[in-house]
Amino acid sequence: MIIDCHGHYTTAPKELQSYRDGQIAGLKDKSQVPSKGKINITDDQIRESLEGAQLKLQRERGTDVTIFSPRASAMAHHIGDETTSRNWTEHCNDLIYRVCNLYPKNFVAVCQLPQSPGVPPANSIAELERCVNELGFIGCNLNPDPSGGNWTAPPLTDKHWYPFYEKMVELDVPAMVHVSSSCNPNFHATGAHYINADTTAFMQFIQADLFKDFPTLRFIIPHGGGAVPYHWGRYRGLAQDMKRPLLSDMIRNNVFFDTCVYHQPGLDLLTKIIPVDNIMFGSEMVGAVRGIDPESNQYYDDTKKYIDKQSWLSDADKKKIFEGNARKVYPRINKKI
Ligand SMILES: [Zn+2]
């Protein structure tokens, strides 16, 4: 079985964005009392939005099931206030729930969180519990920077985040560290802000004893770990100078990298540097990069093809990357597939 650990509902029917546009327009009119409102999307519209996109690509590429969450760039936690974020998040998660009910063999759900700048992460616990306990979700996407590029929240290792981690541990669900859109024009969302955040989160984990406090807490750092594998020597050296644990020990049970690296040499570097026990197959399709690479005549994001070519990985290694590690990191998936 091939589990793609990283997919978002980027092709949702336009009614979802219309709702969001209305919600944002309403923020300008202070006389309006914000209400959750409704989004009318039919099951047929959901089927239509997926059949020619994610489902077609699953079939063509030979992947079986995608761990599926709301569109990350649209989370935009920096817009509006806590209520804005909660209403938007509940709608987005409810839509993912419907997708997974319509296609239980193809998608397993991961939730967005109703984060907001300056609001304690503990306030996201209720939505995590609703999604996991009531809707059968298996994990969450945690935004380390709800301010959308201004980095006003404390580091992920700060006690600020601990109440939320306690709930993750209790529910035995991991979080993918995933920022959203950038409101800072210095940082292009998918080209800079995403990769910066992946790299930043990893360095934060080196600097503190988070995994001593939470030995079973698990994070997926997406997009191949940002710049981390490429600069593995720098991070090993920094950890050494700072008298921190070996990186291989630090990540062993707690930090995992996906394979959303969109060329062969990059993915080769990833699987040669990072222990196979800490790599999970992911493509993030349909996502940030949708084109065909003229050098290979293949889709950039068809990341399975790159792994298939890696002769230094044994069959057992590939089974871990494609299936075993996802079952270990997202244990709730085992009841779903
Ligand atoms: Zn993503």
Side-chain angles (χ1 to χ4, degrees), residues 6-8 69-70 72-73 141 176 178-179 194 222-223 258 260 284:
H6 193 167
H8 305 290
S69 58
S73 61
N141 291 336
M176 180 174 277
H178 207 310
V179 285
Y194 280 23
H223 321 111
D258 76 10
C260 295
E284 206 175 14

Side-chain angles (χ1 to χ4, degrees), residues 29-288:
D29 182 357
K30 298 288 174 212
S31 65
Q32 272 197 26
V33 181
S35 70
K36 185 173 171 186
K38 276 209 165 95
I39 304 176
N40 292 315
I41 293 175
T42 65
D43 285 354
D44 278 345
Q45 281 180 292
I46 294 176
R47 288 191 191 96
E48 217 172 286
S49 72
L50 295 163
E51 285 289 352
Q54 288 87 350
L55 289 168
K56 175 171 170 271
L57 293 171
Q58 277 185 353
R59 284 190 292 270
E60 286 176 3
R61 298 178 183 186
T63 62
D64 297 296
V65 58
T66 302
I67 297 178
F68 207 51
S69 58
R71 185 156 71 101
S73 61
M75 298 189 297
H77 295 117
H78 57 277
I79 293 174
D81 61 11
E82 192 178 359
T83 307
T84 316
S85 231
R86 189 169 57 242
N87 290 341
W88 172 234
T89 297
E90 287 174 7
H91 277 305
C92 289
N93 288 335
D94 287 347
L95 196 58
I96 295 296
Y97 173 68
R98 290 178 63 195
V99 166
C100 295
N101 275 353
L102 286 171
Y103 296 99
K105 288 197 170 114
N106 300 89
F107 299 105
V108 183
V110 153
C111 65
Q112 169 179 333
L113 296 168
Q115 296 175 255
S116 216
V119 173
N123 293 21
S124 291
I125 288 175
E127 179 63 0
L128 180 70
E129 285 189 308
R130 182 182 82 95
C131 288
V132 173
N133 291 332
E134 294 172 31
L135 307 181
F137 285 42
I138 63 165
C140 60
N141 291 336
L142 180 69
N143 187 346
D145 173 28
S147 69
N150 292 312
W151 291 93
T152 55
L156 286 172
T157 48
D158 190 275
K159 300 253 184 317
H160 172 78
W161 302 91
Y162 275 30
F164 188 77
Y165 297 159
E166 282 162 17
K167 185 55 67 175
M168 284 172 58
V169 167
E170 183 197 314
L171 296 172
D172 202 14
V173 295
M176 180 174 277
V177 177
H178 207 310
V179 285
S180 183
S181 58
S182 162
C183 57
N184 182 336
N186 287 289
F187 305 126
H188 180 273
T190 55
H193 188 38
Y194 280 23
I195 309 302
N196 293 348
D198 305 334
T199 311
T200 298
F202 188 80
M203 189 63 214
Q204 292 176 359
F205 295 153
I206 289 178
Q207 289 174 269
D209 287 322
L210 179 60
F211 303 121
K212 275 193 187 149
D213 289 345
F214 295 99
T216 61
L217 186 65
R218 298 180 302 281
F219 291 107
I220 301 93
I221 301 190
H223 321 111
V228 170
Y230 191 58
H231 288 285
W232 196 241
R234 172 176 290 254
Y235 293 108
R236 281 178 49 233
L238 281 168
Q240 186 174 315
D241 289 351
M242 295 162 72
K243 312 271 187 273
R244 301 299 302 161
L246 288 175
L247 295 192
S248 50
D249 290 340
M250 189 272 281
I251 67 172
R252 183 166 293 121
N253 299 312
N254 305 100
V255 182
F256 302 86
F257 297 79
D258 76 10
T259 63
C260 295
V261 177
Y262 294 157
H263 66 146
Q264 188 73 50
L267 208 67
D268 290 353
L269 181 127
L270 178 77
T271 62
K272 285 179 178 171
I273 301 289
I274 302 299
V276 285
D277 288 319
N278 297 80
I279 301 173
M280 293 161 63
F281 170 66
S283 72
E284 206 175 14
M285 69 84 174
V286 177

